[in-house]
Every structure is written in structure tokens, then in C-alpha cells.
């Protein structure tokens, strides 16, 4: 579903990604861990071209993102993204946040978009918040709305960039619960996270990134209990 | 003090001052409307990635911001016709001056407001598959517009006061009428005080309306 080949990304002189190779299968849940500044966000953002790719190939659902013929807007409709800071639209209420893209991009009628949004709000447990504005919600509620907003485009895969890092500890669980449910339904997911419990329980595979490279990967059991690389061991020792 | 100033006599000049007020409002409203359109276009030019668009917008803004309104007015009324060979009447010239001048400042207000919207808003829009234009229109612009209102109100007030400078290019606005009356009837204190009160009335009304609009938008 996602094929990454020798991906490099520079910010000016600074080489942030130094050759990433990675295949992600349909319905796979891949968790990306690693120290801050190692390039996890940049990697994720290259998958939907929020960052331009310096060199290498990223093929999503059969479409090569570096090909100038590729319609990046249409590729993005297949990739949902959830941000650390939620990035809800503060001038629109919850249901308008969710309805906007289905109406403008998928050309759904107002009623169809509304029905879809209500179903998704139910799914994330926020039906009664439809008419509220983002500013009136807790962080956990905002992030669940953001997930619903991404799902409203019916994407084939979802990218999560530290979705719970900006949340108070007591609100982390409700967001992880929604993500867990999504994984069980067979959604293809790439999740940058510091929640090792989630990675262990839900992840099919864990990638450990350091200094712009995937240093080690494996199933959670392997990677957490029997890491091969010294760097992985060092990182896990620090955070566990 | 009693009897030194003839305040009651001002009433006789109210129709003439009213004519002045009419031109002041006409030039302010039409000039600012065009200025708002110019400001929108050039403000977006200033956030454009296209170098030519950005360059053109920058030149316009720097020239206007770097020269006095009075010089702009005199240049447009007296110098421009010598270049183009086409005479513009003073009222049209006045509108052009206010439009061009306010347009440059409004462009900077637009740029500042658009750039003040968090980067994540554009990214969220784009990641949902909206194109650049759709994201600007539905997400960035409405939020930026809200932030533009206080500085826009400020600019409107400045431009309204700037119209008084147009008396030097013979626009029959409020200040022009005041000067005409005062020089004929030697009642400078009464007339210029009245003129000042008229300007104050306009700007205070505008401030009041703006405060209501701000409060309305805040509730949402
Ligand atoms: N827009 C940018 N411009 C310049 N440097 C950037 C930009 N975004 C990220 N970086 C740099 O790239 C490196 C990796 O950042 P990031 O991908 O955010 O790491 P992580 O998500 O693993 O913490 C950091 O050194 C960061 O300073
Ligand atoms: Mg990051």
C-alpha cells in the first residue's frame, strides 16, 4: 500500500532523512518510535507530500508521489492525517469541520455529508458535541474530532503524528481507544508515538528511527524484548 | 468671552459644510472600497510564492508607504496629467489617492493576518485533499478576516482623516469648504472647530460600528 525507496529529505544543508526504505501492507499497523529530532514527523509528512521529497521514491496506492503527473490532491484524499496539535478549524463547529472536505472534495450533498459526519461522531463517542466549537472541547475530544474529520474522506490509510503527545495524561486513553478500534477494523495505519503500550498491543510492526534512518524494525515483541541494535537498546532503556 | 465668537452664525454655513461632508464621505467610502480590493489583491501578492507577483506587490507597497499622502495627492493631480496627457477632475483624483494609499496599508494588514494563521491550518486543509485555493477560501481567509478587522478599522479612520489633505488639490470636501468659509468671513475659530467636530463625529461613529462588529464575530 505504501512503498518507500531510498527516501532522502534535506532542509537546506541539513539532511534529515538519509535513505529510508519501507513497505507497508494493507491493514498493517506500523508504529514509528525514536528520539526527538530523528526525523519521524518528516518521514510521515513525506508520505502525503506535506514535505517535498529531495530524492527517492514514495509510492502510495500505486501512485508515485515524486512523479510530476501525479495529482497530489487526489492522492491525499486517500490518506488521512492526524496531527499532534489537532489542527481543527476553530471558526467552524465540530460537524462543519467534518463535513467540509467531503462536500468540497468528494462533492457530497450537504445531507449526505451530515449523515456521514454524524455516524463518525457516534463512532468516536461525540454525537452530542456536533454543534460545539473546537475551543469548547477538551484536547482528547478535539483529537477524536480530528480523527473523525480525517475518516470522513474514507481514506485507505491513516497517518498519526504523535496524536496523544499534546494531551493531559488522563485524556490519552480515549484517543488510543478510538485508534485501537480503527486498527481492529482493518485500517492501514502509520503511527508515530511514544505510547509503547499502544505499539506493543496494536502494532503489527515497530520501526525504530534514529538520526534520519530506520535503525531497526520488527514485530513489537521482538523489538521491545530483544532489540538487536545498541541504539535501540539505549533508547528503550531511557523511555521504559 | 461673551460675544467674541459668533457660534450661532455657524448655522448659516451648515449647508456648505454639508456639501463638504458629502464629498468627504463619498471619497472615503469609494476610495476605501477600491482600496480594500487593491489591498486584498496585493496582500495576497505579498504571500505569493510567485517571484514576479511578490515583486510587483512589494514595489507598490513600498512606494506608497515611503511617500507622504500629500505628495501622492499633488503628484497624481498635477504631475500625472503631464505624463499621461489625460486630466482627471479633482474628485476622481482624490478617490484614486485614497484608494492607492489605503490599498498599500490594507495589503500589509491582509498579509500580516494571513501569515498569522497557524501553519497547521493550511496543512490540515491540504491533508484532507482540499487544493490551495479551497484551503485559502474556506479555512485561512475567514480566520484571517476576523483578525483583520481591528487594524482595518484603524486604517479606515486614518484614510478618512487623510481626505482632509485633498483640499490642496481642490477637492470640495469638508476641510476645503472650511478653509473657503473661514477666509471669506474671518470666523476661523467657529468654522474650524465645527469642521473638527464633523470629523470626530464620523470617526467616532465608525469606531462604534466596528466595536459592534468585533463583538458579534467574537461570540462565534
Ligand atoms: N520545516 C523545517 N525546516 C528546517 N528544519 C526542519 C523542518 N522540520 C524539521 N526540521 C528538522 O528536521 C529534523 C527532524 O525533525 P522531525 O522530523 O520533526 O523529528 P521528530 O518528529 O523525530 O522529532 C530536526 O532536526 C528538525 O529541526
Ligand atoms: Mg515529531
Amino acid at each position: 500500500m505504501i512503498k518507500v525507496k531510498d527516501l532522502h529529505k534535506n532542509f537546506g544543508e541539513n539532511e534529515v532523512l538519509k535513505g529510508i526504505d519501507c513497505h507497508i501492507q494493507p491493514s498493517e499497523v506500523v508504529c514509528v518510535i525514536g528520539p526527538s529530532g530523528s526525523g519521524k514527523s518528516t518521514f510521515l509528512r513525506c508520505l502525503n507530500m506535506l514535505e517535498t521529497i529531495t530524492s527517492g521514491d514514495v509510492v502510495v496506492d500505486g501512485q508515485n508521489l515524486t512523479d510530476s503527473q501525479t495529482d497530489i490532491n487526489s492522492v491525499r484524499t486517500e490518506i488521512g492525517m492526524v496531527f499532534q496539535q489537532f489542527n481543527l478549524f476553530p471558526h467552524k463547529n465540530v460537524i462543519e469541520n467534518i463535513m467540509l472536505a467531503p462536500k468540497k472534495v468528494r462533492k457530497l450533498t450537504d445531507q449526505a455529508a451530515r449523515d456521514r459526519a454524524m455516524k463518525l461522531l457516534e463512532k468516536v463517542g461525540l454525537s452530542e458535541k456536533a454543534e460545539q466549537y473546537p475551543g469548547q472541547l477538551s484536547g482528547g475530544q478535539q483529537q477524536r474530532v480530528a480523527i473523525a474529520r480525517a475518516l470522513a474522506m474514507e481514506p485507505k490509510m491513516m497517518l498519526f503524528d504523535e496524536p496523544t503527545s499534546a494531551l493531559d495524561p488522563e485524556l490519552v486513553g480515549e484517543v488510543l481507544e478510538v485508534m485501537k478500534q480503527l486498527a481492529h477494523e482493518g485500517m492501514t495505519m502509520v503511527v508515530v508515538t511514544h505510547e509503547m503500550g499502544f505499539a506493543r498491543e496494536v502494532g503489527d510492526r515497530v520501526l525504530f528511527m534514529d538520526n534520519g534512518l530506520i535503525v531497526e524494525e520488527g514485530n513489537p515483541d521482538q523489538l521491545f524484548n530483544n532489540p538487536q541494535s545498541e541504539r535501540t537498546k539505549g533508547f528503550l532503556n531511557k523511555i521504559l | 468671552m461673551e460675544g467674541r465668537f459668533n457660534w450661532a452664525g455657524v448655522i448659516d454655513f451648515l449647508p456648505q459644510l454639508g456639501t463638504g461632508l458629502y464629498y468627504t464621505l463619498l471619497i472615503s467610502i469609494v476610495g476605501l472600497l477600491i482600496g480594500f480590493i487593491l489591498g486584498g489583491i496585493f496582500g495576497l501578492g505579498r504571500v505569493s510564492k510567485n517571484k514576479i507577483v511578490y515583486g510587483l506587490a512589494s514595489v507598490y507597497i513600498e512606494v506608497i508607504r515611503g511617500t507622504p499622502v500629500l505628495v501622492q495627492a499633488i503628484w497624481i493631480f498635477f504631475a500625472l496629467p503631464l505624463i499621461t496627457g489625460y486630466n482627471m477632475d479633482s474628485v476622481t483624483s482624490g478617490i484614486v489617492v485614497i484608494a492607492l494609499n489605503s490599498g498599500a496599508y490594507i495589503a500589509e494588514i491582509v498579509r500580516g493576518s494571513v501569515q498569522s494563521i497557524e501553519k497547521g491550518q493550511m496543512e490540515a486543509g491540504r491533508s484532507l485533499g482540499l487544493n490551495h485555493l479551497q484551503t485559502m477560501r474556506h479555512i485561512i481567509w475567514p480566520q484571517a478576516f476576523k483578525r483583520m478587522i481591528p487594524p482595518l478599522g484603524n486604517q479606515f479612520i486614518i484614510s478618512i482623516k487623510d481626505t482632509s489633505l485633498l483640499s490642496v488639490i481642490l477637492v470640495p470636501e469638508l476641510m476645503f469648504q472650511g478653509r473657503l468659509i473661514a477666509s471669506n468671513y474671518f470666523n476661523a475659530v467657529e468654522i474650524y472647530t465645527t469642521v473638527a467636530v464633523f470629523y470626530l463625529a464620523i470617526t467616532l461613529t465608525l469606531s462604534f460600528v466596528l466595536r459592534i462588529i468585533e463583538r458579534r464575530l467574537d461570540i462565534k
Side-chain angles (χ1 to χ4, degrees):
Chain A
M1 178 134 299
I2 303 176
K3 286 194 188 115
V4 180
K5 229 177 90 193
D6 198 27
L7 170 63
H8 289 255
K9 170 66 189 176
N10 294 24
F11 287 110
E13 296 285 279
N14 184 13
E15 188 175 34
V16 173
L17 299 180
K18 302 173 178 172
I20 304 266
D21 288 280
C22 160
H23 283 204
I24 293 163
Q25 306 299 327
S27 294
E28 200 179 9
V29 176
V30 175
C31 294
V32 183
I33 62 171
S36 163
S38 57
K40 305 181 298 294
S41 295
T42 307
F43 169 55
L44 207 64
R45 293 158 58 83
C46 282
L47 299 182
N48 68 351
M49 286 280 272
L50 282 184
E51 302 291 350
T52 55
I53 292 161
T54 305
S55 73
D57 286 307
V58 176
V59 180
V60 174
D61 198 27
Q63 304 206 66
N64 195 334
L65 300 192
T66 52
D67 186 342
S68 59
Q69 301 294 309
T70 302
D71 176 4
I72 186 60
N73 291 321
S74 103
V75 177
R76 281 182 180 140
T77 62
E78 306 299 339
I79 313 171
M81 185 157 197
V82 175
F83 301 86
Q84 186 175 344
Q85 299 297 338
F86 330 134
N87 295 346
L88 292 180
F89 309 133
H91 61 300
K92 293 186 177 296
N93 67 23
V94 164
I95 195 149
E96 289 166 347
N97 262 272
I98 302 174
M99 288 164 64
L100 178 69
K103 276 172 69 177
K104 298 299 167 190
V105 182
R106 296 266 195 242
K107 308 291 179 204
L108 256 59
T109 63
D110 191 83
Q111 194 54 50
R114 189 170 296 274
D115 291 346
R116 186 183 285 186
M118 281 316 296
K119 229 174 261 161
L120 286 164
L121 278 175
E122 206 167 301
K123 180 176 177 141
V124 300
L126 292 171
S127 306
E128 75 285 8
K129 302 288 184 189
E131 305 297 330
Q132 307 228 331
Y133 282 84
Q136 299 169 298
L137 303 181
S138 74
Q141 292 170 334
Q142 288 190 53
Q143 194 61 299
R144 285 187 280 154
V145 172
I147 294 172
R149 179 177 69 176
L151 290 175
M153 291 299 288
E154 303 190 324
K156 294 188 177 140
M157 65 205 88
M158 290 279 287
L159 311 176
F160 294 84
D161 191 359
E162 300 197 27
T164 58
S165 294
L167 298 178
D168 292 336
E170 74 271 19
L171 302 178
V172 168
E174 62 191 58
V175 173
L176 292 182
E177 205 49 51
V178 170
M179 292 168 62
K180 218 178 285 178
Q181 188 192 342
L182 213 52
H184 287 315
E185 289 168 7
M187 176 62 79
T188 310
M189 294 164 62
V190 185
V191 186
V192 175
T193 186
H194 293 299
E195 295 295 329
M196 298 305 152
F198 176 86
R200 235 185 249 268
E201 188 189 334
V202 185
D204 296 309
R205 189 151 51 110
V206 179
L207 309 181
F208 170 66
M209 275 184 75
D210 192 16
N211 200 16
L213 286 167
I214 296 175
V215 173
E216 186 167 350
E217 63 179 293
N219 67 46
D221 189 44
Q222 229 172 1
L223 197 117
F224 288 120
N225 298 332
N226 190 18
Q228 301 301 306
S229 150
E230 285 308 313
R231 281 198 272 172
T232 317
K233 283 180 201 164
F235 175 75
L236 290 175
N237 274 334
K238 246 183 273 167
I239 59 152
L240 290 179
Chain B
M1 292 297 274
E2 186 76 11
R4 230 180 109 194
F5 301 121
N6 180 10
W7 292 103
V10 169
I11 292 174
D12 297 338
F13 301 106
L14 284 184
Q16 195 177 342
L17 290 176
T19 306
L21 183 64
Y22 164 77
Y23 281 108
T24 294
L25 290 175
L26 175 77
I27 290 172
S28 298
I29 291 168
V30 179
L32 281 168
L33 266 176
I34 301 171
F36 188 68
I37 295 166
L38 288 177
I41 295 170
F42 285 95
L44 293 179
R46 282 277 264 193
V47 292
S48 166
K49 284 193 202 106
N50 184 319
K51 289 242 163 64
I52 298 170
V53 174
Y54 173 83
L56 279 175
S58 300
V59 168
Y60 162 62
I61 290 163
E62 294 306 336
V63 167
I64 296 292
R65 289 204 308 172
T67 54
V69 197
L70 192 56
V71 175
Q72 292 162 14
I74 290 176
W75 195 87
I76 283 174
F77 188 63
F78 294 108
L80 189 60
L82 300 179
I83 299 171
T84 61
Y86 174 75
N87 275 316
M88 259 192 306
D89 66 69
S90 60
V91 172
T92 311
S93 301
I95 290 173
V96 170
V97 171
I98 295 302
L100 282 178
N101 185 271
S102 66
Y105 288 95
I106 293 171
E108 283 299 87
I109 293 170
V110 169
R111 180 189 62 79
S113 311
V114 168
Q115 287 181 342
S116 77
I117 305 300
E118 299 66 26
K119 206 169 121 253
Q121 292 289 305
M122 176 57 86
E123 291 182 348
R126 297 308 300 275
S127 76
L128 287 165
L130 296 163
N131 64 33
H132 183 82
L133 208 67
Q134 289 172 319
T135 311
M136 283 305 276
R137 168 146 175 246
H138 298 289
I139 296 165
I140 308 297
W141 188 254
Q143 295 183 62
F145 189 74
K146 237 193 239 185
R147 294 188 193 181
M148 270 158 54
I149 288 173
L152 267 184
N154 207 24
Q155 181 56 43
F156 285 6
I157 286 171
I158 291 171
S159 290
I160 288 168
K161 292 189 295 181
D162 280 349
T163 61
S164 66
L165 295 166
L166 300 173
S167 60
V168 301
I169 61 166
L170 313 176
V171 175
E173 45 71 57
L174 193 52
M175 187 62 196
F176 179 89
Q177 304 292 356
R179 282 168 65 177
L180 204 62
I181 298 166
S183 62
N184 284 325
Y185 296 91
F186 308 106
N187 51 357
V189 171
E190 298 90 326
I191 288 300
Y192 289 138
T193 305
T194 308
V195 165
V197 168
F198 273 40
Y199 280 113
L200 199 58
I202 303 173
T203 54
L204 286 179
T205 308
L206 183 58
S207 292
F208 179 72
V209 171
L210 282 164
R211 212 159 322 129
I212 291 175
I213 294 176
E214 264 173 61
R215 210 171 306 144
R216 282 262 168 86
L217 286 175
D218 235 31
I219 293 167
K220 265 191 113 184

